[in-house]
Amino acid sequence: MAVSSEIVLRVEDLHKRYGNEEVLKGVSFTVRQGEALAIIGPSGTGKSTLLRCINRLTEPDRGRIFLEETEITSAHIDINKIRQQIGFVFQDFNLFAHLTALDNVRLGLMKVKGLSKREATERAMHELARVGLAEKAHAYPAQLSGGQQQRVSIARALAMDPKVMLFDEPTSALDPELIGEVLQVMQELAEEGMTMIVVTHEMGFARSVCDEVIFMEKGVIVEQGPPEQVFLNPQQPRTRQFLSKISELYGGVR
């Protein structure tokens, strides 16, 4: 699906420090409607902190974030309302172990959105079907594979009808044979025009599915551009070095 010129998310000069360690050092970028943005780079470079700042699970020290025209870093914002518009998929699924897949998805629809049980059930089943898990609606997380659990967490986020979806290394906790089923769902979302920011080590996904790629290191954006440029003709020596190491480890960026 084509990317719109309308900006959904704008990050301006974002800073975050933990004690003496400056994790984000003035990060700025925009995401347009329908765009899939991949954020790549070494571990411990601020990528996950950046995502957590975007929905204010972590409070930035300085800088501003806008969701469409609303400054969500404003002191007067209702952050709970904002979080309904920003889906977040974590590394470790974060499902309620005592609830079925269906209940995990419909809980927020009833508690937060105020839908009736019937309406919430219909919406939850629609989203479970969307990620290929309608037949697992009454299974508990312990009865599901890691890939299935992650797909339930994606369905839960989608059910809230977010304006943007954040994925924080969504396949890093999965066995290799389960990674593909999660990436397939994410690819389908991108093709449907879902606005997405994906922190990932899956270079093949970043290259083939995403519209834009950011390479981060040590709390700054080193390079940004379309995948063809970043992967095939990187402008910065550090980007070339990083991708070369990845190629050595995994036998080329597929």
Side-chain angles (χ1 to χ4, degrees), residues 10-244:
R10 187 164 84 251
V11 175
E12 296 180 353
D13 194 32
L14 210 64
H15 290 254
K16 181 62 184 178
R17 176 186 294 276
Y18 293 109
N20 293 325
E21 184 182 4
E22 195 174 7
V23 181
L24 299 176
K25 305 174 183 176
V27 173
S28 300
F29 64 92
T30 59
V31 184
R32 294 169 294 163
Q33 186 171 25
E35 183 174 34
L37 168 70
I39 303 178
I40 65 171
S43 296
T45 200
K47 305 184 301 294
S48 293
T49 298
L50 174 59
L51 283 199
R52 291 176 67 87
C53 284
I54 288 173
N55 81 336
R56 288 184 50 194
L57 283 173
T58 295
E59 289 294 336
D61 297 328
R62 196 163 90 238
R64 301 196 298 171
I65 304 169
F66 292 84
L67 183 64
E68 295 180 334
E69 299 304 315
T70 303
E71 184 189 346
I72 65 177
T73 39
S74 165
H76 309 294
I77 204 75
D78 182 345
I79 192 58
N80 291 319
K81 282 191 175 180
I82 292 297
R83 286 194 184 125
Q84 292 179 40
Q85 302 172 58
I86 303 176
F88 203 124
V89 177
F90 298 86
Q91 296 179 30
D92 50 3
F93 321 142
N94 276 16
L95 298 178
F96 293 109
H98 65 292
L99 297 180
T100 63
L102 173 60
D103 284 329
N104 265 284
V105 177
R106 74 181 167 189
L107 181 65
L109 292 169
M110 295 166 65
K111 297 287 189 184
V112 179
K113 291 273 193 182
L115 269 60
S116 69
K117 187 173 184 179
R118 182 183 61 80
E119 292 171 321
T121 300
E122 286 179 4
R123 181 64 188 265
M125 287 302 299
H126 170 77
E127 298 301 347
L128 285 170
R130 194 173 174 186
V131 300
L133 287 176
E135 78 285 357
K136 296 290 187 180
H138 300 291
Y140 289 88
Q143 299 171 309
L144 302 173
S145 70
Q148 290 170 333
Q149 289 183 63
Q150 191 60 295
R151 285 188 281 155
V152 172
S153 71
I154 292 172
R156 179 178 60 186
L158 289 171
M160 303 302 284
D161 196 23
K163 292 178 179 175
V164 59
M165 286 276 285
L166 310 180
F167 294 85
D168 186 11
E169 297 189 24
T171 60
S172 66
L174 300 178
D175 293 332
E177 68 267 26
L178 302 177
I179 289 172
E181 66 189 57
V182 174
L183 294 181
Q184 178 65 34
V185 168
M186 293 168 62
Q187 179 175 344
E188 289 167 2
L189 291 178
E191 290 169 354
E192 291 169 12
M194 173 61 70
T195 307
M196 300 163 54
I197 304 176
V198 185
V199 169
T200 186
H201 291 297
E202 299 292 336
M203 299 298 148
F205 176 86
R207 181 173 169 182
S208 63
V209 175
C210 294
D211 305 290
E212 189 86 355
V213 177
I214 285 174
F215 171 59
M216 275 184 72
E217 186 175 47
K218 296 179 181 176
V220 299
I221 293 175
V222 176
E223 184 157 354
Q224 179 175 0
E228 311 82 54
Q229 176 197 304
V230 173
F231 286 109
L232 300 179
N233 187 28
Q235 305 300 298
Q236 301 300 322
R238 182 63 189 104
T239 315
R240 289 196 290 272
Q241 183 185 22
F242 174 78
L243 292 173
S244 174

